[in-house]
Amino acid sequence: MGVHEIEDAALLFVFGYHGAESHPIVARRIVRAKQKGAKIICVDPRRIETARIADMHLQLKGGSNLLLVNALANVILEEGLCDYDFIEKHANGFDEFKEVIKKYTPESVTAQTRVEAADIRKAARMYALSGRSMILYGMGVCQFGQAVDVVKGLANLAIMTGNFGRPSVGIGPVRGQNNVQGACDMGALPNVYPGYQSVTVPEVRAKFEKAWGVKLSDQPGFTLTMVPHQVLHETDPKKQVHAYYIMGEDPAQSDPDLAEVREALEKCDFVVLQDIYMNKTGQYADVILPATGWCEHDAVYSCCDRGFQKARKLVEPSGDVKTDWEIISLVSTAMGYPMSYKNTVEIWNEVIELCPGFAGATDEKIEKNVCVQWPCRSKEDHDKGTSFLHKDGKFAHPDGRAKFFATDWRPPLELENELYPLTLSTVREVGHYSVRTMTGNCRTLRNLEDEPGWIQMNPADCEVLGLAEGELVKVLSKRGYCITRCLPTGRVAKGAVYMTYQWWIGACNELTIGNFDPISKTPEYKYCACKVEKIEDQAWAEKHVREEYELIRGRMGIDMKEGRAA
Amino acid sequence: MTIKQIQSTCAYCGAGCQIMFTVDIEKNKILEAVPARGRTNDGALCLKGHYGWDYLNDPQILTKRLVKPMIRKGGKGSPLEEVEWPEAIAHVAGRLSEIKAKYGPDAIMGTGSARGSGNEANYVMQKFIRSAVGTNNVDHCARI
Ligand code: SF4
């Protein structure tokens, strides 16, 4: 599906995706769909913007996603709302699927999801019968220890109702950072080469060995989230990580369980940070390589619906910096594997030669059409790319058929308990981007919000602790603590609290847990147990926050004497 | 005439909105950013698209732009010292080669970037890790 198709859906099923905060412009399409008469079902534990304009808001309890998804499938089956013709023509595994789904009656999941059985039934009927239902999902699905199963569960709903392979249907992830799609497309993943070609398939490997002129490893590599473990706890010397070359990321701020990440960065023999700004990871790096940033170099980005688009060099950088690809080429050459690219077009041509799915997305075509959505296989002008995957019900499996996957629900790893009675979920902030080194340095954006951020809490929970809006509080989990401001809001349910992850002082990743989905290795940012403590001496706390902030900014290289105090 | 209009893609989220920049080439400065007609944004931008380029002026609010390669010459914990590019590149290549010789290629991990670097940089990074280092240990922060 493509972003522009959103507004023509008859029903939008928005699951764990907070458009208004993550992607304001995608959110606008959702509003436009509504204006054109689409029904909207919003599934989210918070009363987010989408919930306000939705026809139904299923305010489920965090961590119960798969229970709800399976119960929706159960209703569609029981009430005979399937598109049996589509299933027969295009899908496998329906009988096994039915077997698993049978037990997930709406009544059986009400207690854990906190969604009424009648509402589950109503939502399932609306989804199955709209004629053009589109599912959008976001980090509220992905950032759990059980994430891939839920994505497959959502795909089940689309397959069983025939909502695939036509305009304005299907299932679409809406990703956070601008070029997550691009990093994946280009093979910055431990198991696939560019174009999603597996490193374990001998013919594929042979193709890349020939193109690159070297023997390649047939073993999938580590994911980023495994690095702390591979540095600190791996006993097999062959599997320990001793060098970490980080390009444009800040794991010491963005990864879960920061205490462990810091320890790993300290213990790792050699850490290189290649970036545009000093950041927390840089405090541990042995070498810093300064790179050009957005607007200082040419690049192709992939937007969230697989569209290749160009970002241009608009200004000359002022420092003694180089583009990322130049720096890597120099290091590679110095290590005896020469790379001598002259510009990004030369690199892009190599990419599309090696990737059948991108082969037709030539530089000229992107230039001419502004955006080319892959798959785009032919260099001919007529192939302008593909708006929706699974065209005419064709799927990526070898036989071209979809497969039903049914799995049972697993609870999150760390449940609330007597010592830590609240559940913490991390979310985004509307004006800021990721770890904030860029947006925090834009004057207009920075004025929107500043350290130490906020913790969103239900007013009833605040009352128990005697907390007022704006008061500084201490938030603790088994792994660490941080200080932030209390924000009472009826948008969040009792017992659940929410923090955004870009703050240094209010660093919620001091608290989060390193529990990962077994397949995607995504951390469970959306669920861990925590508690909130009142700070009696507010004057001390305010002073402490100010001092900490100055200290960190000093470490980041800001000259305090110039009167730029926060 | 040194004022130019150049269309580019926003780098702040996956929506990939198109922005029309007005750039003063001679002064090397962006003057304005307004929405362009892209497939995804259809003539609108959010705050980040409108103002997100101010970081280029390095207002030094939070952190400082990195402008020179730096090495901790005295080892872990010692201060970062500015060096010239050839020294920085030789140092990185040398240390990575040492570690590879001592522990094997799988002891080295590299990251792509899901941010502003772009597809070409990600391609070159994974090719470097796979071909020059010899491991599939490459990944990026897709998960945040
Ligand atoms: S303008 Fe806003 S919505 Fe559009 S890509 Fe940039 S950050 Fe995303």
Side-chain angles (χ1 to χ4, degrees):
Chain A
M1 51 136 259
V3 171
H4 60 287
E5 292 170 39
I6 293 174
E7 59 184 74
D8 292 317
L11 180 136
L12 290 174
F13 190 77
V14 186
F15 202 115
Y17 168 57
H18 192 358
E21 275 184 8
S22 311
H23 310 90
I25 295 298
V26 175
R28 240 172 54 113
R29 298 271 182 178
I30 298 175
V31 175
R32 190 108 47 92
K34 169 91 181 170
Q35 286 161 350
K36 287 188 174 180
K39 293 265 182 288
I40 296 176
I41 301 174
C42 169
V43 183
D44 203 287
R46 284 190 300 167
R47 194 146 180 82
I48 57 173
E49 301 301 330
T50 316
R52 292 186 168 183
I53 63 161
D55 297 274
M56 284 192 84
H57 176 208
L58 307 182
Q59 193 167 10
L60 85 176
K61 182 174 185 316
S64 68
N65 285 349
L66 194 61
L67 285 174
L68 181 67
V69 170
N70 282 353
L72 289 165
N74 178 282
V75 175
I76 294 171
L77 279 176
E78 289 305 312
E79 301 195 0
L81 307 175
C82 301
D83 183 338
Y84 294 102
D85 189 47
F86 185 89
I87 296 171
E88 186 160 324
K89 283 201 186 111
H90 300 294
N92 293 331
F94 192 46
D95 292 333
E96 296 91 309
F97 170 69
K98 281 197 284 200
E99 231 7 78
V100 177
I101 294 302
K102 239 175 24 197
K103 60 178 176 291
Y104 288 90
T105 61
E107 283 73 16
S108 72
V109 304
T110 297
Q112 280 153 311
T113 59
R114 300 205 189 135
V115 181
E116 297 292 333
D119 287 338
I120 298 176
R121 289 213 161 78
K122 186 171 159 208
R125 286 176 204 137
M126 280 168 69
Y127 175 79
L129 299 175
S130 89
R132 275 191 324 283
S133 288
M134 182 185 259
I135 298 174
L136 298 173
Y137 69 92
M139 290 304 170
V141 167
C142 301
Q143 294 179 340
F144 278 104
Q146 185 173 32
V148 174
D149 291 346
V150 177
V151 174
K152 289 179 176 165
L154 291 170
N156 290 335
L157 298 180
I159 300 166
M160 69 198 295
T161 55
N163 277 303
F164 255 120
R166 297 177 280 132
S168 299
V169 297
I171 151 171
V174 199
R175 314 239 201 189
Q177 301 184 58
N178 71 305
N179 206 30
V180 172
Q181 180 74 47
C184 294
D185 292 351
M186 293 303 111
L189 288 169
N191 57 340
V192 289
Y193 298 118
Y196 305 93
Q197 305 176 78
S198 171
V199 300
T200 56
V201 173
E203 303 83 72
V204 169
R205 202 165 53 245
K207 175 173 96 174
F208 281 91
E209 286 179 339
K210 185 155 170 255
W212 293 344
V214 281
K215 187 108 191 75
L216 296 171
S217 164
D218 58 357
Q219 296 294 315
F222 302 130
T223 60
L224 268 198
T225 42
M226 290 164 76
V227 171
H229 177 87
Q230 302 311 126
V231 173
L232 298 172
H233 310 300
E234 181 59 58
T235 47
D236 180 349
K238 287 223 138 30
K239 291 193 183 140
Q240 287 164 354
V241 167
H242 291 272
Y244 195 7
Y245 189 155
I246 302 161
M247 170 172 83
E249 308 265 9
D250 188 7
Q253 174 75 8
S254 61
D255 282 14
D257 196 351
L258 288 179
E260 193 182 41
V261 174
R262 284 192 294 264
E263 195 188 342
L265 288 169
E266 262 165 17
K267 296 252 167 76
C268 187
D269 295 347
F270 188 55
V271 178
V272 180
L273 177 73
Q274 177 171 314
D275 211 320
I276 60 175
Y277 277 109
M278 191 51 158
N279 61 24
K280 277 199 170 169
T281 304
Q283 313 290 307
Y284 303 91
D286 298 275
V287 180
I288 305 266
L289 302 174
T292 51
W294 178 57
C295 299
E296 295 174 336
H297 56 227
D298 290 316
V300 172
Y301 294 156
S302 306
C303 62
C304 60
D305 58 0
R306 312 176 321 279
F308 294 131
Q309 306 190 109
K310 288 201 161 183
R312 321 256 175 195
K313 177 170 177 176
L314 304 175
V315 291
E316 286 297 331
S318 49
D320 187 8
V321 300
K322 293 182 189 296
T323 63
D324 285 305
W325 57 267
E326 274 181 288
I327 302 171
I328 303 159
S329 300
L330 288 169
V331 174
S332 186
T333 305
M335 284 177 73
Y337 185 82
M339 290 190 189
S340 56
Y341 300 109
K342 285 189 276 305
N343 52 46
T344 47
V345 177
E346 202 180 306
I347 301 168
W348 188 251
N349 288 340
E350 183 174 320
V351 171
I352 63 175
E353 273 327 302
L354 286 164
C355 304
F358 311 156
T362 59
D363 183 67
E364 304 84 69
K365 210 183 279 182
I366 302 174
E367 198 68 55
K368 195 167 130 211
N369 298 342
V370 181
C371 178
V372 177
Q373 282 175 283
W374 64 263
C376 178
R377 297 173 195 281
S378 162
K379 293 202 167 44
E380 304 291 317
D381 264 358
H382 67 80
D383 189 351
K384 294 193 165 50
T386 315
S387 184
F388 37 98
L389 283 176
H390 315 302
K391 207 171 181 173
D392 307 322
K394 287 227 171 43
F395 291 85
H397 297 283
D399 60 358
R401 292 170 69 88
K403 186 157 170 30
F404 282 104
F405 282 97
T407 346
D408 285 308
W409 172 74
R410 285 195 307 275
L413 184 69
E414 186 180 82
L415 298 178
E416 51 277 38
N417 51 56
E418 235 166 70
L419 272 178
Y420 299 100
L422 303 168
T423 63
L424 169 72
S425 168
T426 72
V427 292
R428 258 160 222 282
E429 190 95 35
V430 68
H432 282 298
Y433 173 59
S434 194
V435 292
R436 198 177 51 132
T437 38
M438 278 167 83
T439 49
N441 278 316
C442 296
R443 285 159 285 194
T444 318
L445 298 178
R446 186 229 182 192
N447 292 338
L448 293 176
E449 272 306 333
D450 205 351
E451 294 281 353
W454 300 86
I455 182 166
Q456 302 174 21
M457 300 176 68
N458 185 279
D461 290 329
C462 297
E463 213 181 291
V464 174
L465 293 163
L467 299 175
E469 177 164 343
E471 189 171 333
L472 288 168
V473 294
K474 195 167 171 185
V475 192
L476 307 88
S477 81
K478 253 160 81 179
R479 290 157 294 279
Y481 76 93
C482 66
I483 290 181
T484 186
R485 283 184 208 283
C486 171
L487 179 67
T489 166
R491 288 187 174 212
V492 311
K494 244 179 109 220
V497 298
Y498 295 81
M499 292 175 73
T500 53
Y501 68 87
Q502 71 271 42
W503 309 110
W504 284 332
I505 297 159
C508 57
N509 281 329
E510 299 290 349
L511 315 171
T512 48
I513 187 170
N515 178 43
F516 305 103
D517 180 87
I519 301 163
S520 70
K521 306 285 184 211
T522 308
E524 194 149 64
Y525 286 121
K526 299 287 185 212
Y527 209 102
C528 76
C530 75
K531 70 174 165 187
V532 175
E533 279 180 3
K534 191 177 174 70
I535 303 177
E536 291 302 340
D537 190 346
Q538 284 291 306
W540 169 85
E542 292 288 352
K543 187 160 160 273
H544 172 76
V545 166
R546 260 194 322 274
E547 285 170 0
E548 277 289 299
Y549 194 11
E550 292 305 291
L551 204 72
I552 300 173
R553 288 170 73 229
R555 261 188 256 140
M556 295 293 170
I558 304 288
D559 188 351
M560 295 303 156
K561 287 191 290 286
E562 285 174 43
R564 287 204 182 91
Chain B
M1 204 40 205
T2 70
I3 309 289
K4 260 195 175 170
Q5 298 247 306
I6 305 174
Q7 185 170 330
S8 189
T9 304
C10 179
Y12 288 106
C13 87
C17 296
Q18 291 296 303
I19 306 178
M20 186 59 79
F21 284 99
T22 309
V23 188
D24 186 329
I25 304 287
E26 208 159 89
K27 294 215 179 80
N28 197 34
K29 253 187 152 21
I30 294 174
L31 301 175
E32 194 192 29
V34 295
R37 286 224 156 251
R39 182 182 54 80
T40 53
N41 66 307
D42 198 19
L45 294 176
C46 79
L47 278 178
K48 288 178 278 189
H50 273 289
Y51 303 110
W53 50 272
D54 188 32
Y55 90 95
L56 291 164
N57 296 319
D58 200 11
Q60 302 207 9
I61 297 167
L62 276 183
T63 54
K64 216 175 168 154
R65 263 310 279 273
L66 296 165
V67 290
K68 194 88 191 156
M70 293 188 280
I71 300 179
R72 284 188 211 280
K73 290 196 170 172
K76 294 257 173 209
S78 70
L80 286 162
E81 294 173 48
E82 293 194 349
V83 297
E84 296 304 321
W85 274 104
E87 183 177 350
I89 298 290
H91 181 73
V92 172
R95 288 287 282 136
L96 291 179
S97 300
E98 259 170 54
I99 287 165
K100 179 175 162 181
K102 189 160 169 200
Y103 303 102
D106 292 334
I108 298 172
M109 173 92 202
T111 83
S113 171
R115 307 207 184 126
S117 304
N119 287 0
E120 297 88 342
N122 278 290
Y123 174 80
V124 171
M125 178 53 110
Q126 62 83 37
K127 183 180 177 184
F128 164 70
I129 293 289
R130 294 193 155 109
S131 301
V133 177
T135 175
N136 285 310
N137 289 342
V138 60
D139 194 16
H140 66 281
C141 280
R143 301 171 180 85
I144 65 167

